[in-house]
Amino acid sequence: MKRRIILAAPLAAVLPLAFPSARAAATDGSIAAPVTALDDALIATMKAGSAGKSFMARYDALKPVVEQSFDLPEILQVSAGLLWSQIPAAQQTELQTLFTQYTVASYISSFDAYGGQHFETLPGTRSVGAKRIVTTDLVAKGGHKTKLAYVMTSTGGSWKITDVLFEGTISKVATQRSDFDSLIAPGNATRLIEALKRKVAALSGGALKG
């Protein structure tokens, strides 16, 4: 797995508050299910990369799992911040498509080859208000562990991922919000749309045009 993590400076003061509750005795299977499905799909993605499968073959296999496991519309809106409601409907629709492509392509680029890695889901969950935290370790063949904590939110009666905390503290959504902030103007997300198109094209090696 390639490590491409952009750190957001303000996070250190905020994220230590993210885990105030004690870990529950056992993980609720329905809460952890989206994370388990994603972990399994990422292992399959890495194995497909090592087997020489094309980007689009891996994309087509991973995309439905990402869409099922994550609440991507909610993540996009939070990442866009308060200006989301001012973005024209046509641009919102285009952003949703591009954000899905960007999210899936980012995973394929980061989890591009298999070298004996596996995921271990830690027992139990943490409660943060109405949300739950499911934590997994990505374990390299040599034993090195990378901790990934998933913020789970009940959406329409099912649990979905609404944020990922790298090493338990670095929020992907907060980082994206910091990145997106300078690219959105009141009533206009053209710069963000163009930026996502470029990122999608680069991550996919031109297979996705955005």
Side-chain angles (χ1 to χ4, degrees):
M1 183 190 71
K2 300 175 183 175
R3 301 180 67 179
R4 298 187 180 95
I5 301 297
I6 302 173
L7 308 186
L11 297 182
V14 177
L15 290 174
L17 302 178
F19 304 109
S21 301
R23 184 178 296 278
T27 300
D28 184 323
S30 65
I31 299 174
V35 175
T36 301
L38 178 65
D39 289 348
D40 290 345
L42 291 177
I43 294 295
T45 297
M46 288 190 282
K47 289 181 177 179
S50 291
K53 297 291 186 181
S54 69
F55 174 89
M56 286 309 303
R58 287 175 283 161
Y59 180 89
D60 290 341
L62 183 60
K63 180 174 179 283
V65 180
V66 169
E67 290 179 316
Q68 183 64 33
S69 296
F70 287 86
D71 187 348
L72 290 177
E74 174 67 14
I75 293 171
L76 173 59
Q77 290 183 38
V78 174
S79 298
L82 296 176
L83 291 179
W84 174 259
S85 62
Q86 300 181 35
I87 297 173
Q91 287 193 339
Q92 288 184 353
T93 299
E94 186 172 10
L95 280 171
Q96 288 169 354
T97 298
L98 287 168
F99 187 67
T100 298
Q101 292 178 339
Y102 169 66
T103 302
V104 179
S106 294
Y107 271 117
I108 293 172
S109 179
S110 295
F111 293 83
D112 60 344
Y114 184 70
Q117 306 95 321
H118 68 277
F119 287 96
E120 294 178 352
T121 300
L122 277 63
T125 64
R126 292 180 184 269
S127 297
V128 183
K131 300 179 184 295
R132 296 289 190 89
I133 308 296
V134 175
T135 303
T136 67
D137 288 331
L138 173 59
V139 185
K141 186 176 182 180
H144 175 77
K145 295 182 178 181
T146 301
K147 191 172 298 297
L148 300 169
Y150 294 88
V151 180
M152 310 301 296
T153 304
S154 182
T155 303
S158 62
W159 290 90
K160 291 200 171 187
I161 301 165
T162 51
D163 199 1
V164 183
L165 308 180
F166 181 78
E167 294 294 5
T169 59
I170 302 167
S171 164
K172 182 176 181 180
V173 171
T175 300
Q176 286 177 165
R177 186 164 182 172
S178 177
D179 291 341
F180 289 1
D181 184 61
S182 63
L183 299 174
I184 303 176
N188 190 346
T190 299
R191 291 179 63 204
L192 176 57
I193 289 171
E194 293 305 314
L196 284 175
K197 285 181 177 179
R198 290 192 297 270
K199 288 180 178 179
V200 167
L203 288 168
S204 68
L208 291 170
K209 304 298 183 182

